[in-house]
Every structure is written in C-alpha cells, then in structure tokens.
Amino acid sequence: MSGLSEADASTLAAPALVDAHIHPDKSSWGGAWLSRRDAFELRDFIANDLATQRSYTRSVEERAYGLLCTAAANGTLAMRAQVDVSSELGTANVEGVRAAAERIPGLTVQIVAFPQFGLLGNPGTLDVMAAALDSGADVVGGIDPVGLEGDLGGHLDAVFGLAERAGRDLDIHLHDRGESGLAQIREIAARTVALGMRGKVTVSHAFALADDAAPTLRRTLDQVAEAGIWITTCALGSDPVPDLGLLASHGVQLAVGSDGVRDAWTPFGTGSMVDRAHLLAYRTGAVTDAELERCYALASTEGGRMLGIEDLARWSGPDAPTRLEFRAESLAQLVADRPAPLRVFRSGQLVETEPIPAAALLPLP
C-alpha cells in the first residue's frame, strides 16, 4: 500500500480499519461465558441463534456497546452491522445497536436491516424491515433466496423492491454453494444492472465464489465485476474463502469483516480487524509482503470504499488526519504480529476508547 512510512523510528502510521460485516446484536460480549449447541445445517444455526437471543438478560445496547468499544480501541473506525429484524423482534435490535454506536465518538456504524429468520416465510418481516429504515437502519438486507427461502424470484423481488423504494443500498447474505449459489449471484448481478444499482449491492459470504473448479465461476466473477457488486468474506472457521488473486484479476471488489463475534454461531472473535487481516492472510496462504499488505487493505481502505466513507477509503500518507499508529517495522509485519494500535486518530482527533473484556470476570473465592 503506497504512502506507508514510519512516522518516527519506531512508529508506523497506517489506514484506519473497517469491519465490512459484523453482527453486534448477537454478541455475548462483556457477559458470562456462553456455551454453544452444535449445529450442521443453516436452519439449525438460525434456531440456536434465536434461542440464544431470547436467553440474554443483558440488553442489545449493552452487549453491542462492549463489542463496539473494543473494536474502536483496536482501530476500527467504521463497520457495517448486520442487525436482526423480524415480525417477532420488531426493530428493537436496530434501535439497540444504534444507541450503542452513538455513544462512541469517532466510530461510524452502518446498520443493515437483516431478515435472519426468513422473509417470505415470516409474514410481516418486510414491513418491519421498512420500519427499521426509519428507526436507525441504513441498508436493506437479504438472506439465501433459494437455500433458506426457496424462492429466488420472490425474495429478490422483495428486497430489491424495498431498496429501490427507499433509495437504500442492499446487502444479501448468501451461504448457498455450488452452481445454485453461482446462479443466484448471477441473478443478483443482472437485477443490479437492470435497476441501475451498480456499486450499491453487496453479496456477503458468497461461499460459491470459493469453488475454483465450478464451471461457471469465472463467468460469474465477470458479471459481478460488471455490476459493481461488492463481496465480503470473513475467513471464519471452516467457511470457504475465495482466491483473492482470482477475484482481483476479474476486477471483483472485496472487503473483509468479522461476522459473528462470541455469539451463538462461534466462540471466537476479538473485535480486532488486525486479527481478522491476520486470519485472512493465514487462510489464503499469504507469504510475501505484498500478499500480507493486500489483506490489510481489504480490512481497511477497501471496506471504506464499500461503505462510501471518504476519509477511510483513501490513504494520503502517514500524516493523514485519520490514521492508526502502531509499533511495527512494516505493514506486513503488523499483519503477522497483530499488535494493538498505539494511537487512533479520526479527522485529526485522538479517539480515546477503552476496550471492554470479552467475558465477565468472576471474583476469586
């Protein structure tokens, strides 16, 4: 990443971090240890998730605040938060995350009204999604039109229709793999172009794009690039991770996020996007400085471009008013060693946020 240099003999200035995909309303951050149930199918994970959310005694705002504070202290200055809405939950989770975000100076949070528990099969959810756009949400969400909803046309009609009516961007979770997943991505790309929404649509996870042997993969990548669709990956657990070089060679725009952090889906996650850049580098076999630097860019300026945030999308050098300062020799070493930033600046102002422990510390007997 050009323009990176040492601010002094021991301090490296670097672009601020951006988490392009995180679920703060689900997190148990700051509370007691959460024991998780095993699951094998997406529907099982979703059922576990709903049961866990019902069991929390701490509010969405309190849990999200702990995670967001920790992220900001670790240099994340913007995030796209996927927040559950449904006929049962209403807009409460959106309002809780928005309230938490407003308590943290220097942090920009873009909220997706996410129909985690289904849309077509959950009557009233589309109305709640529309209401959420007036209650703190910024982006329309979607989820697995075929694998979960069983109706590609119906689901896309609903979410594209709401996004078009409200003048909002669209972010669709897509876990479906193989040719079915690729076909859904191509249909999303076709609708994006037809509706004049280039650059306004994201496909999150897009596991099908990690299948290098799929006959239609490269054709799909070309359509994604032509439609200006953003892809997010999280490199979590056993989830498929796309070939970063292949996507770049086809002109596909990619950013990285945390996904779930200490929630019903996973016991892992630290709130640090330096850690996530490290994990992405590890999962993709990064060895050279250029490969390690690419992972940092995907966790910083590329996320800023995706969210459309000017001071996070471009890096003007070590004296930039929005920057992080690390004790490191180089950006490549930073990704490998995962230090916390020494100082965090947004628009020339020092961001002074203290991290909150992930789990409540019990008193010793």
Side-chain angles (χ1 to χ4, degrees), residues 118-141:
L119 175 57
L120 302 180
N122 193 344
T125 295
L126 187 62
D127 292 335
V128 176
M129 291 172 65
L133 298 176
D134 295 322
S135 300
D138 306 286
V139 179
V140 176

Side-chain angles (χ1 to χ4, degrees), residues 256-293:
V256 65
S258 294
D259 202 21
V261 179
R262 307 278 178 128
D263 58 18
W265 298 70
T266 177
F268 299 108
T270 63
S272 166
M273 285 303 292
V274 171
D275 283 356
R276 188 59 46 162
H278 173 97
L279 180 57
L280 180 67
Y282 182 85
R283 290 287 309 276
T284 57
V287 175
T288 67
D289 284 7
E291 290 168 336
L292 292 165
E293 289 173 6

Side-chain angles (χ1 to χ4, degrees), residues 85 91 94-95 98 111-114 126-141 159 161-169:
V85 296
T91 61
V94 168
E95 292 156 8
R98 180 55 68 204
I111 294 179
V112 179
F114 175 47
L126 187 62
D127 292 335
V128 176
M129 291 172 65
L133 298 176
D134 295 322
S135 300
D138 306 286
V139 179
V140 176
V159 297
L162 178 56
E164 188 177 23
R165 290 192 300 276
R168 305 298 181 95
D169 288 3

Side-chain angles (χ1 to χ4, degrees), residues 2 12 18 52 59 81 91 98 135 141 156 158 173 189 204 219 225 227 307 314 340 362:
S2 62
L12 181 77
V18 176
T52 298
S59 70
T91 61
R98 180 55 68 204
S135 300
L156 295 185
H173 279 61
S204 291
R219 174 162 66 92
L307 270 62
R314 290 175 175 80
L362 299 177

Side-chain angles (χ1 to χ4, degrees), residues 26-29 33-34 36 56 260-264 266-269 358:
K26 302 176 185 297
S27 182
S28 65
W29 200 273
W33 174 256
L34 175 65
R36 292 152 185 89
Y56 284 134
V261 179
R262 307 278 178 128
D263 58 18
T266 177
F268 299 108

Side-chain angles (χ1 to χ4, degrees), residues 109-240:
V109 177
Q110 194 177 88
I111 294 179
V112 179
F114 175 47
Q116 168 78 83
F117 310 110
L119 175 57
L120 302 180
N122 193 344
T125 295
L126 187 62
D127 292 335
V128 176
M129 291 172 65
L133 298 176
D134 295 322
S135 300
D138 306 286
V139 179
V140 176
I143 183 169
D144 294 306
V146 172
L148 183 67
E149 296 274 75
D151 185 347
L152 175 60
H155 187 83
L156 295 185
D157 285 347
V159 297
F160 270 99
L162 178 56
E164 188 177 23
R165 290 192 300 276
R168 305 298 181 95
D169 288 3
L170 177 61
D171 191 322
I172 303 174
H173 279 61
L174 187 60
H175 307 90
D176 292 345
R177 308 186 190 191
E179 288 298 328
S180 173
L182 292 170
Q184 291 175 68
I185 292 171
R186 291 194 298 274
E187 178 60 23
I188 292 168
R191 290 190 181 224
T192 299
V193 172
L195 294 172
M197 293 182 64
R198 284 183 173 88
K200 298 180 178 296
V201 176
T202 299
V203 178
S204 291
H205 303 308
F207 291 156
L209 297 183
D211 185 358
D212 189 57
T216 65
L217 174 61
R218 285 154 180 80
R219 174 162 66 92
T220 303
L221 292 175
D222 288 339
Q223 287 188 236
V224 167
E226 196 276 332
I229 288 175
W230 280 92
I231 302 296
T232 62
T233 189
C234 298
L236 182 65
S238 60
D239 290 350

